[in-house]
Amino acid sequence: MTLTDQNVHEIIASGQPVVIDFWATWCGPCVRMSPIVEELAQEYEGKAVIGKYNIEEENDLAAKYRIMSIPTILFFKNGEQVPSLRLAGAQTKATLEERVKQLIEM
């Protein structure tokens, strides 16, 4: 799912588990993570919203959460960020999936 400044606030406010991958096309680690994020989005469809937020095209959320490096992955539940789950840098599918499971179980 592509997250934009127009839809991301409503999605977070829905209260459901939300995972946001902050990325850019020029970021090598971000590009390598894309298939992982897309796989997990399909695998957890209906349980969590997993999407990508392109910082080249959007900036409200990146500024709000002070995203200084990418990839950065933020996790939200009940409309609030869960800081303890935040990930920075390229991650393995296993690591990211474990965080998604933790988020859903909260």
Side-chain angles (χ1 to χ4, degrees), residues 88-106:
Q91 304 294 322
T92 65
K93 182 178 179 182
T95 300
L96 184 52
E97 186 169 24
E98 181 59 34
R99 295 288 171 97
V100 171
K101 288 177 181 178
Q102 289 175 16
L103 181 68
I104 292 169
E105 292 171 3
M106 295 179 96

Side-chain angles (χ1 to χ4, degrees), residues 3-23:
L3 301 174
T4 66
D5 290 335
Q6 288 70 41
N7 69 7
V8 72
H9 300 288
E10 184 178 321
I11 291 168
I12 291 171
S14 74
Q16 60 192 322
V18 179
V19 179
I20 302 174
D21 174 24
F22 292 82
W23 76 291

Side-chain angles (χ1 to χ4, degrees), residues 19-94:
V19 179
I20 302 174
D21 174 24
F22 292 82
W23 76 291
T25 57
W26 49 262
C27 168
C30 299
V31 172
R32 286 192 300 277
M33 291 243 352
S34 284
I36 294 170
V37 172
E38 291 168 12
E39 282 178 42
L40 290 174
Q42 290 176 354
E43 291 173 19
Y44 286 89
E45 188 173 352
K47 297 178 185 174
V49 174
I50 301 174
K52 300 173 70 55
Y53 183 93
N54 186 334
I55 65 163
E56 291 178 305
E57 298 171 1
E58 311 294 333
N59 58 30
D60 288 355
L61 204 64
K64 179 177 181 177
Y65 290 100
R66 298 182 178 169
I67 303 302
M68 301 295 181
S69 64
I70 53 173
T72 292
I73 301 173
L74 298 185
F75 298 81
F76 297 83
K77 187 145 187 194
N78 300 321
E80 300 290 328
Q81 182 190 10
V82 182
S84 63
L85 296 179
R86 180 181 180 132
L87 291 169
Q91 304 294 322
T92 65
K93 182 178 179 182

